[in-house]
Amino acid sequence: MTKIDKLEKAAKAQAEAEFLELIEIDSPSWGEQAIAKVLLRKLKELGMETQQDETGNIYGYLPGNASLPPILLSAHMDTVEPSKGKKATIEPDGTIRSAGAAVLGADCVAGLVEILQGIRLVQASGLPHRPVEIIFSVAEETYCEGLEKFDFSKVKSKDSYVLDLTGKIGTAARRAPTLVSFCATIKGRAAHAGMEPEKGINAIAIMAGLLAKIPQGHLDTETTCNVGIIQGGMMINIVPES
Ligand SMILES: [Zn+2]
């Protein structure tokens, strides 16, 4: 067994213990303070310079071989709901699953642990390494609200890995689709539809005219559009206001 093999074996056990430690901390979106405190301590123990911005995002920097380009590693600290009282159970084959009604929180605690263990392993190996930047973000599950407020001007790395994806080990996604959602309210004017309809402005009729102009389905080979919910009107004898 080489030194690296031995270190990897130890890292595997450490990773499991650290994963179980971190998932027991409640960390819903915008409620990441408790896990952030623990992660800041762990990053400092690795010798990293750390900062936490007003939003709660953590930035860490680990000096490395100055002739090598820095690399950014990132994961998020929040989990989806239901997230209260997360508990894990380990099956005979080693698979870790949620033991209760709450999520396990592997998304993205697995990513957090991979980053921490990866740095520990590199440090223990004594091999030269690139300078490492870390971003542990808040509120990723609410459409990256946390990172929206992060000051990216401080990031030096041109390469980055975000450890927040399932798939075959050793593969990565270079691009991913995104979603632009919108909600429109058409304001007309209400009026009695039998007595004085001319005083009203029919919001549903306006909406129908607009909808006819919005293309649905495939717009091109990689873009689709869908209007999925429509609500409006009060009574059949009222010109709808919205
Ligand atoms: Zn995630």
Side-chain angles (χ1 to χ4, degrees):
M1 226 188 201
T2 66
K3 185 185 174 192
I4 301 284
D5 287 338
K6 275 187 201 147
L7 287 170
E8 275 186 0
K9 211 178 154 204
K12 217 176 149 191
Q14 270 176 34
E16 186 175 295
E18 187 161 57
F19 179 85
L20 295 175
E21 174 198 349
L22 291 178
I23 63 128
E24 295 232 337
I25 305 169
D26 281 352
S27 59
S29 302
W30 297 120
E32 302 91 345
Q33 297 87 338
I35 198 165
K37 215 178 131 194
V38 174
L39 290 168
L40 279 166
R41 175 176 53 76
K42 286 175 181 283
L43 292 177
K44 282 190 190 119
E45 283 167 6
L46 292 173
M48 293 193 109
E49 298 158 23
T50 59
Q51 295 168 14
Q52 190 173 23
D53 67 14
E54 279 179 12
T55 311
N57 301 302
I58 292 174
Y59 172 83
Y61 182 75
L62 182 72
N65 188 323
S67 65
L68 298 171
I71 185 160
L72 170 68
L73 303 173
S74 184
H76 61 88
M77 296 186 280
D78 58 321
T79 56
V80 287
E81 299 293 345
S83 69
K84 212 164 170 43
K86 293 189 266 73
K87 266 254 174 294
T89 174
I90 305 176
E91 295 187 349
D93 70 352
T95 309
I96 305 174
R97 291 191 198 283
S98 170
V103 296
L104 177 61
D107 173 13
C108 195
V109 168
L112 298 169
V113 172
E114 282 155 14
I115 291 170
L116 293 169
Q117 290 296 332
I119 293 171
R120 279 189 202 112
L121 192 55
V122 167
Q123 287 182 331
S125 74
L127 294 168
H129 64 82
R130 298 162 74 169
V132 182
E133 294 184 289
I134 296 283
I135 298 174
F136 290 160
S137 64
V138 296
E140 187 271 350
E141 299 292 359
T142 57
Y143 296 102
C144 293
E145 282 180 312
L147 274 183
E148 258 175 35
K149 299 202 175 77
F150 184 77
D151 175 15
F152 280 96
S153 69
K154 70 175 103 194
V155 173
K156 301 168 193 74
S157 304
K158 296 253 186 297
D159 299 328
S160 165
Y161 283 97
V162 179
L163 292 144
D164 189 20
L165 194 68
T166 55
K168 247 174 94 185
I169 292 172
T171 58
R174 296 188 65 193
R175 298 197 300 174
T178 190
L179 170 78
V180 179
S181 62
F182 61 91
C183 178
T185 303
I186 308 297
K187 289 219 158 201
R189 191 189 300 136
H192 194 285
M195 307 288 279
E196 43 181 16
E198 57 286 337
K199 288 198 176 159
I201 299 172
N202 191 319
I204 291 178
I206 295 169
M207 186 74 223
L210 287 174
L211 267 182
K213 291 182 190 165
I214 301 174
Q216 309 291 318
H218 269 284
L219 306 186
D220 56 45
T221 54
E222 57 184 20
T223 315
T224 63
C225 178
N226 183 53
V227 174
I229 300 173
I230 184 159
Q231 290 169 327
M234 298 276 291
M235 302 275 285
I236 55 168
N237 64 347
I238 299 174
V239 175
E241 187 175 22
S242 80

